[in-house]
Amino acid sequence: MPLLHRSDAVSQDSELATPLLQHETVNGAVDYKGRPAIRSKSGNWRSACFIIGVEVGERIAFYGIGSNLIMFLTGPLHQSTAAAAKNVNVWEGTASLLPLLGAFIADSYLGRYRTIIGASLVYILGLGMLTLSAMLPSCTTPELEFETKLASCSTKLQVILFFFSLYLVAIGQGGHKPCVQAFGADQFDNHHPKECKARSSFFNWWYFTMCAGCLLTLSFLNYVQENLSWVLGFGIPCIAMLIALVVFLFGAKTYRFHFERNKKSPFVRIGRVFATAIRNRRIAVSETAIKDENCNIIPHQCSEQFKFLNKSLYATKGSKEEEACSVSEVEEAKAVLRLVPIWATSLVFGIVYAQVRTFFTKQGFNMDRTIFPGFVMPAAALQSLVTLAIVIFSPIYDRIFVPIARAITKKPTGITTLQRIGTGIFLSIITMLIAALVELKRLEVATEFDLVDKPNASLPMSVWWLIPQFFLFGVCEVFTMVGLQEFFYDQVPNELRSMGLALYLSVIGVGSFLSSFLISVIEEIAGIYGNSSWFDDNLNKAHIDYFYWLLAGLSVMGLILFIFNAKSYIYNHKGIAQG
């Protein structure tokens, strides 16, 4: 199947120049045979439905592993609570940062379609090996001794196989995740009124469908893993990923493949702007140096913001004129630089996000999880409440909140993407406060019923006390996560849209690493002063409520900085409301 990317597609220029009779073609897009893409026969929701289906399968696979990972580490692998939480955070952080590499490969070399296929094959291999590692009897027997020098399994080889497989899954996800969503959004023509509006809804329904699929399967998978077999629990995600790849290939004939006529890598162009500006740092530049009708944002703002980059427009004496950068290249670099403060101040949300699959889940393990006599809900199944909240609130946001906000603000999206992200960060602060209060109540119950020294005892406190923090965090995701997706996709240069979505994922990745770093620092301080650990293996003696209070305070400071940066942010695409 001769699918095109960049230089391949450029060779079709002569064919693109000949309009097809009676059919409207999409500018800059070709079909799977390299012919001009016909609007009525390609892209839009007909293609997006295939791609959304692929994402559902991939998320089932990823969350089928990650959602219950802390229980596998503290159970069959017999790690301490703190060590397991750090391992989960490091793995999730790595899995969320690897999309930066995957996006670079896709945007510079392979293209999104080929990268998705390659990453899917690596993904399936990792899941298959993970299933194999769970088959090893020494990793599942209750008589496992953690006191040996061979880590948590009987041999180091078995431990290596497990973690190698786990990180192979992370590598596959790193190539898959940023490209699939960017490829899905590429199916909508941003210059066509109806398709432009549909693309905005695509991000909402993408997240809704993804979470709906996860909601139907996660509880089942978590129950299988904890009560039936970890082998089967890891094998089902492998099958789901295999089906996802088949679905993706099945829709190939409907896809639109975009290409850029500029053969120079966007990373090279942007890097060259910074390098030239540094080389010309001694040059004095007047404010009237930049006046260009092709500038995507207001000319005055173009010349005033990050003025030091304007120096890259000049060629120094003795150098070739070609060494100077163009106005479009400078504005491209400025667009990327403007994202840095927003990205940095969004990290507080990433830290809070890391708690859902670690301490939130561990918190529910010691509570009464009996749904009805004979059935005890797995602790990890509580995460389904997050996806349930997303499934419920996403249509409300898209069909009720946005029209009402649009009538008030007169903006097409109701509120700007930055306002949406900020609202989610604010709600995450409320989430942490609720989580701290619930944990305080749980510790009081443990003391009241004399269960402090019985870590495996089920407290006479219903697990449904955790509903508010899980459910509210799902609402947070509808605002912040979807907002980050749309923001980074729209605000990066067109050729870097995979990288834009990777940047949104890196917020979660770096947040996970920061969470792990905070845990290590707190553990170290507790050891120095001889105080009891906030993350004691006996959760009834621990104080993760203190950790929640700390995160709430950090989130308040992060929100203040985010608002400050959001107010000064200049949107770099026409048609996007500013504010």
Side-chain angles (χ1 to χ4, degrees):
M1 188 177 294
L3 297 169
L4 302 184
H5 174 60
R6 296 187 185 276
S7 59
D8 302 326
V10 173
S11 65
Q12 301 289 331
D13 282 352
S14 59
E15 186 176 354
L16 288 171
T18 305
L20 300 180
L21 297 176
Q22 300 179 341
H23 292 293
E24 182 188 1
T25 59
V26 181
N27 186 37
V30 295
D31 64 12
Y32 73 107
K33 288 187 176 180
R35 301 170 302 190
I38 300 173
R39 189 179 304 280
S40 61
K41 296 183 178 181
S42 67
N44 215 322
W45 285 109
R46 73 173 59 78
S47 298
C49 289
F50 283 107
I51 299 169
I52 288 175
V54 170
E55 180 65 6
V56 171
E58 189 275 333
R59 288 293 88 183
I60 290 172
F62 185 79
Y63 284 110
I65 302 301
S67 64
N68 216 16
L69 186 57
I70 192 170
M71 302 310 299
F72 186 79
L73 294 176
T74 57
L77 294 191
H78 287 250
Q79 292 189 352
S80 66
T81 299
K86 286 189 285 187
N87 277 330
V88 172
N89 286 336
V90 169
W91 178 73
E92 290 192 345
T94 303
S96 298
L97 288 178
L98 281 173
L100 292 171
L101 176 61
F104 173 79
I105 294 172
D107 289 340
S108 297
Y109 301 106
L110 297 180
R112 288 164 194 150
Y113 183 83
R114 293 190 181 102
T115 303
I116 291 168
I117 294 175
S120 297
L121 294 174
V122 173
Y123 214 137
I124 294 168
L125 176 62
L127 290 168
M129 292 177 63
L130 198 66
T131 305
L132 177 63
S133 71
M135 292 180 182
L136 299 173
S138 56
C139 284
T140 54
T141 52
E143 295 82 8
L144 186 69
E145 295 285 338
F146 187 64
E147 291 139 350
T148 67
K149 295 181 180 180
L150 300 177
S152 37
C153 290
S154 62
T155 67
K156 290 183 179 179
L157 179 61
Q158 293 164 346
V159 179
I160 291 172
L161 177 60
F162 174 77
F163 281 102
F164 177 78
S165 305
L166 196 63
Y167 279 89
L168 202 59
V169 169
I171 292 172
Q173 195 258 180
H176 194 279
K177 184 64 175 172
C179 297
V180 171
Q181 190 170 9
F183 191 64
D186 285 346
Q187 305 308 309
F188 300 90
D189 183 4
N190 197 37
H191 301 289
H192 189 274
K194 289 185 178 180
E195 291 194 22
C196 181
K197 186 177 180 181
R199 195 190 72 174
S200 182
S201 291
F202 165 77
F203 286 98
N204 290 324
W205 290 105
W206 168 277
Y207 215 68
F208 166 82
T209 311
M210 177 185 74
C211 292
C214 292
L215 179 63
L216 296 174
T217 57
L218 277 184
S219 297
F220 168 73
L221 272 177
N222 296 150
Y223 180 82
V224 168
Q225 290 168 347
E226 289 192 31
N227 296 280
L228 298 179
S229 167
W230 284 100
V231 175
L232 184 60
F234 287 159
I236 292 174
C238 183
I239 295 172
M241 193 61 220
L242 185 60
I243 294 173
L245 177 58
V246 173
V247 170
F248 181 71
L249 294 173
F250 190 72
K253 291 185 178 181
T254 72
Y255 299 149
R256 294 173 184 171
F257 301 89
H258 291 261
F259 64 89
E260 300 293 337
R261 298 179 187 273
N262 194 334
K263 295 182 180 180
K264 191 184 296 182
S265 167
F267 296 97
V268 173
R269 295 199 305 268
I270 293 171
R272 181 168 163 265
V273 170
F274 285 97
T276 306
I278 293 172
R279 189 169 58 246
N280 297 345
R281 61 186 179 277
R282 299 176 187 269
I283 294 178
V285 181
S286 66
E287 291 188 4
T288 58
I290 301 180
K291 295 285 184 179
D292 191 281
E293 62 181 4
N294 294 323
C295 184
N296 286 328
I297 53 180
I298 301 173
H300 175 69
Q301 292 173 329
C302 286
S303 58
E304 286 299 316
Q305 194 173 37
F306 304 129
K307 290 169 61 174
F308 69 93
L309 290 180
N310 297 348
K311 296 182 179 182
S312 63
L313 292 166
Y314 296 87
T316 57
K317 292 182 179 180
S319 64
K320 298 179 180 179
E321 187 67 26
E322 290 79 8
E323 291 184 7
C325 301
S326 67
V327 172
S328 61
E329 289 175 336
V330 172
E331 291 310 311
E332 196 174 49
K334 287 183 178 182
V336 173
L337 192 57
R338 276 194 295 271
L339 299 176
V340 175
I342 300 299
W343 177 87
T345 51
S346 299
L347 292 177
V348 290
F349 182 82
I351 299 175
V352 174
Y353 185 93
Q355 311 315 311
V356 175
R357 285 196 288 277
T358 54
F359 292 125
F360 275 25
T361 300
K362 196 66 177 175
Q363 201 175 358
F365 182 75
N366 293 82
M367 302 173 74
D368 183 7
R369 294 178 281 120
T370 303
I371 306 302
F372 52 81
F375 181 79
V376 177
M377 181 180 67
L382 288 165
Q383 295 170 34
S384 298
L385 294 172
V386 176
T387 56
L388 178 63
I390 295 170
V391 168
I392 292 174
F393 190 71
S394 289
I396 294 175
Y397 181 90
D398 194 66
R399 299 301 181 186
I400 299 177
F401 178 84
V402 171
I404 293 175
R406 186 184 294 141
I408 297 173
T409 65
K410 308 302 180 184
K411 296 175 181 176
T413 55
I415 59 176
T416 66
T417 49
L418 289 178
Q419 289 170 341
R420 182 173 185 172
I421 295 167
T423 301
I425 295 175
F426 172 76
L427 292 176
S428 73
I429 297 171
I430 306 300
T431 302
M432 296 315 298
L433 294 176
I434 292 174
L437 292 173
V438 171
E439 176 61 11
L440 188 61
K441 174 65 177 178
R442 195 192 67 80
L443 293 175
E444 289 177 355
V445 171
T447 302
E448 180 182 351
F449 289 87
D450 197 25
L451 295 173
V452 173
D453 295 318
K454 299 177 181 179
N456 295 322
S458 178
L459 301 181
M461 179 179 178
S462 175
V463 74
W464 300 127
W465 276 79
L466 299 177
I467 287 179
Q469 67 196 64
F470 277 97
F471 195 87
L472 184 57
F473 189 79
V475 177
C476 292
E477 286 200 36
V478 173
F479 280 97
T480 300
M481 295 292 283
V482 180
L484 286 169
Q485 291 172 14
E486 187 172 0
F487 176 78
F488 282 110
Y489 179 86
D490 275 327
Q491 296 304 294
V492 296
N494 291 346
E495 294 171 275
L496 291 178
R497 282 175 168 170
S498 295
M499 182 60 69
L501 290 172
L503 283 173
Y504 124 75
L505 289 168
S506 71
V507 169
I508 306 305
V510 175
S512 295
F513 280 119
L514 290 175
S515 176
S516 182
F517 173 75
L518 284 173
I519 294 172
S520 297
V521 169
I522 293 169
E523 286 277 276
E524 188 69 24
I525 294 174
I528 292 174
Y529 291 98
N531 298 326
S532 59
S533 172
W534 289 5
F535 315 107
D536 195 288
D537 289 344
N538 181 352
L539 214 61
N540 295 334
K541 290 184 178 180
H543 271 290
I544 57 175
D545 55 324
Y546 293 170
F547 189 54
Y548 292 159
W549 292 119
L550 174 64
L551 294 185
L554 292 175
S555 296
V556 170
M557 291 188 289
L559 179 60
I560 293 172
L561 292 173
F562 178 86
I563 293 173
F564 175 79
N565 287 300
K567 283 184 173 295
S568 61
Y569 185 82
I570 301 170
Y571 288 89
N572 76 321
H573 287 311
K574 291 179 179 179
I576 298 179
Q578 298 182 23

